[in-house]
């Protein structure tokens, strides 16, 4: 969630809001530190801190603060077992931060920065009144730091989203289902098809549609770490795209919709054209998790989305020094 965009939207719509943030977790909890909600006076909200009784009580507390006043910033600790009757058994510390229209200009500035990329801020929570956030210069901003840390009155936060970029080739039935399934999952999506008229009139905000007669030409210019999914209406076009993709070694994922037979034929064509086995092994075909057998477009889309989430989390773990169990 782009936090400041939601704060700005809430201020424009309602004149005030509360930013709810999990700042510390001990034991089991439904969400991690850094999970947030933006709550409006009518109890509508965006984001989630995990649902259940915890979120229910926090929503009411946020609305009560807007109605009755109180400190601009405060924290409260919740024991998920004794206090709330939830079975997680952990404890979370929640920050409540109130905003009104006096903060709109600052929220606009932060919202603009979120649109550009990730940035971090620090603030002193011991002072009275709204927090005065200071943006850290890039040299002091650790991209591997925690989303939010409160230590001896100093609040350090990271905002914005580092979204992986998926290039989806093909706007047929499965392509349409896939963009809807992927819309809330934290990816940027470039959707490519030579048939301009086949794209829906409206698409989610994280999706850009491109009309391109020879879509394979875009592959050589992709950024390292991009994802590629191929599902056009033309097998020759599919092959041209994946051929261009597997000749690279720096893409995060190369997926091709199809069957085991299509995979075998594609790999043979790779071999005939001089592509090494090591490069060919990058291709995932059929694409999607194998446990889902359904051929319905919506089910295939969910299968592919789940597979991409697994890849995304594995890469995030590896980037942070994590490891995978052997399979």
């Amino acid at each position: 969630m782009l936090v400041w965009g939601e704060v700005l939207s809430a201020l424009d719509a309602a004149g005030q809001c509360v930013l709810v943030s999990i700042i510390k977790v001990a034991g089991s909890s439904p969400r991690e530190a850094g999970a947030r909600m933006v709550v409006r006076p009518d109890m509508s909200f965006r984001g989630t801190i995990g649902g259940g009784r915890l979120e229910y009580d926090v929503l009411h507390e946020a609305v009560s603060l807007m109605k009755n006043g109180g400190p601009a910033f405060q924290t409260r600790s919740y024991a998920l077992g004794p206090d709330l009757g939830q079975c997680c058994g952990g404890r979370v510390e929640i920050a409540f931060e109130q905003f009104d229209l006096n903060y709109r200009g600052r929220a606009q500035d932060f919202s603009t920065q979120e649109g550009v990329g990730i940035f971090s801020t620090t603030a002193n929570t011991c002072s009275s009144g709204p927090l005065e956030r200071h943006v850290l210069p890039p040299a002091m901003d650790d991209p591997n730091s925690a989303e939010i840390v409160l230590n001896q009155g100093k609040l350090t936060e990271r905002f914005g989203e580092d979204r992986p970029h998926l290039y989806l080739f093909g706007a047929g039935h499965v392509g349409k289902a896939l963009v809807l399934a992927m819309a809330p999952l934290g990816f940027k999506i470039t959707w490519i098809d030579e048939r301009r008229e086949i794209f829906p009139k409206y698409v989610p905000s994280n999706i850009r549609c491109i009309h391109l007669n020879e879509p394979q030409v875009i592959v050589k210019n992709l950024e390292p770490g991009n994802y590629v999914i191929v599902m056009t209406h033309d097998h020759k076009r599919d092959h041209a795209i994946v051929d261009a993709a597997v000749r690279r070694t720096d893409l995060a994922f190369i997926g091709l919709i199809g069957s085991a037979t299509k995979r075998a034929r594609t790999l043979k064509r790779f071999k005939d054209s001089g592509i090494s086995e090591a490069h060919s092994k990058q291709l995932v075909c059929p694409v999607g998790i194998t446990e889902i057998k359904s051929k319905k477009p919506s089910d295939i889309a969910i299968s592919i989305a789940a597979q991409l989430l697994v890849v995304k989390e594995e890469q995030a773990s590896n980037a942070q020094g994590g490891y995978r169990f052997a399979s």
Side-chain angles (χ1 to χ4, degrees), residues 236-247:
K236 289 183 179 180
R237 194 178 302 277
D238 283 354
H239 181 79
I241 298 168
V242 295
D243 181 283
V246 300
R247 291 179 186 274

Side-chain angles (χ1 to χ4, degrees), residues 163-169 175 178-192 203-210 227 229 308:
R163 293 187 169 194
H165 199 152
L166 167 64
Y167 284 79
L168 173 60
F169 295 85
L178 184 58
V179 296
L180 294 177
M182 295 293 297
L185 300 184
F187 284 76
K188 292 188 296 185
I189 300 175
T190 297
W191 196 11
I192 304 158
V203 296
S205 60
N206 60 321
I207 295 170
R208 177 174 60 125
C209 299
I210 295 180
Y227 294 60
I229 297 285
L308 293 184

Side-chain angles (χ1 to χ4, degrees), residues 39 86-87 90 109 122 131 142 168 193 216 228 279 283 324:
V39 184
Q86 292 189 201
C87 60
D109 292 342
T122 62
L131 298 186
D142 181 1
L168 173 60
D193 201 291
Q216 66 273 17
V228 170
H279 281 225
L283 180 68
R324 295 172 58 190

Side-chain angles (χ1 to χ4, degrees), residues 52-62 76 78 83-84:
R53 180 61 185 270
L54 171 65
E55 188 165 286
Y56 178 85
D57 283 4
V58 165
L59 281 170
H60 282 80
E61 178 68 19
R76 179 175 171 184
Y78 293 82
D83 289 354
L84 302 177

Side-chain angles (χ1 to χ4, degrees), residues 168-179 191-193 195 198-200 231-233 297:
L168 173 60
F169 295 85
H173 295 304
V174 178
K176 288 183 171 68
L178 184 58
V179 296
W191 196 11
I192 304 158
D193 201 291
R195 301 165 292 175
I198 201 170
F199 289 115
M231 51 179 67
T232 80
H233 65 294

